């Protein structure tokens, strides 16, 4: 087929094929770059969620510490710290809730119940009612698990 064309036509045809292959290759590469950008964006979103969940887990550990300190020591500082940590935990949970609503469902209510049980223990120990205080501490520990 190319035998019947002039040299100029052959070169033009080959040049057109080369340009078409370059354009097609560039389009494919652009598509791959866009797909990679989307994957990187999704991975960044997942990483941010993991970091937030990890921070919430650490904050929950802090809350357990301050609640135990509050129950045992009954200091106003421990109560303030427990309330501050609880507020920080609620913020972190609400941030995670937008990404994983099913996983977080009910957790804020559970934290409120834990705080309530701990406060009942504090009040019982304040009244020198060790039986009720101990049972509330045991209930809190079971609730944490």
């Amino acid at each position: 087929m190319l035998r019947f064309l002039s040299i100029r036509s052959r070169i033009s045809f080959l040049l057109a094929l080369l340009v078409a292959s370059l354009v097609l290759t560039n389009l494919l590469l652009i598509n791959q770059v866009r797909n990679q950008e989307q994957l990187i964006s999704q991975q960044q979103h997942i990483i941010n969620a993991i970091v937030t969940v990890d921070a919430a887990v650490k904050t929950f550990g802090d809350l357990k510490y301050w609640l135990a300190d509050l129950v045992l020591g009954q200091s106003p500082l421990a109560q303030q710290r427990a309330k501050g940590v609880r507020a920080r935990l609620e913020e972190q949970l609400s941030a995670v809730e937008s990404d994983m609503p099913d996983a977080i469902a009910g957790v804020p209510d559970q934290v409120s119940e834990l705080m309530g049980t701990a406060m009942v223990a504090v009040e019982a120990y304040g009244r020198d009612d060790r039986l009720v205080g101990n049972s509330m501490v045991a209930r809190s520990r079971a609730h944490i698990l």
Side-chain angles (χ1 to χ4, degrees):
M1 177 174 134
L2 291 178
R3 263 189 279 172
F4 301 111
L5 297 176
S6 68
I7 292 177
R8 179 177 283 175
S9 298
R10 290 179 193 178
I11 291 174
S12 296
F13 177 73
L14 291 175
L15 186 61
L17 281 177
L18 179 64
V19 168
S21 67
L22 285 174
V23 167
L24 183 62
T25 304
N26 283 336
L27 290 176
L28 290 173
L29 287 174
I30 289 170
N31 187 33
Q32 288 296 322
V33 167
R34 285 186 184 150
N35 289 341
Q36 291 298 321
E37 285 176 354
Q38 289 175 349
L39 286 174
I40 289 171
S41 174
Q42 290 172 352
Q43 290 172 348
Q44 185 63 40
H45 185 72
I46 290 169
I47 288 170
N48 289 339
I50 290 171
V51 167
T52 305
V53 168
D54 185 54
V57 168
K58 183 190 175 307
T59 303
F60 183 68
D62 293 345
L63 179 65
K64 292 188 300 185
Y65 171 81
W66 287 111
L67 284 177
D69 191 41
L70 174 62
V71 168
L72 297 176
Q74 298 183 1
S75 74
L77 176 64
Q79 187 173 11
Q80 290 173 346
R81 295 274 169 92
K83 287 180 181 180
V85 169
R86 179 184 181 190
R88 190 171 72 225
L89 179 62
E90 288 174 352
E91 289 173 10
Q92 291 166 339
L93 290 176
S94 66
V96 172
E97 189 174 24
S98 63
D99 295 326
M100 298 177 263
D102 295 337
I104 300 300
V107 173
D109 296 333
Q110 296 293 324
V111 171
S112 295
E113 187 176 330
L114 175 64
M115 289 289 291
T117 305
M119 295 311 290
V120 169
V122 168
E123 291 170 7
Y125 284 130
R127 293 188 314 265
D128 203 26
D129 188 358
R130 298 189 80 49
L131 181 64
V132 172
N134 289 343
S135 69
M136 290 296 114
V137 168
R139 182 181 286 176
S140 294
R141 286 184 180 157
H143 192 85
I144 287 171
L145 294 176

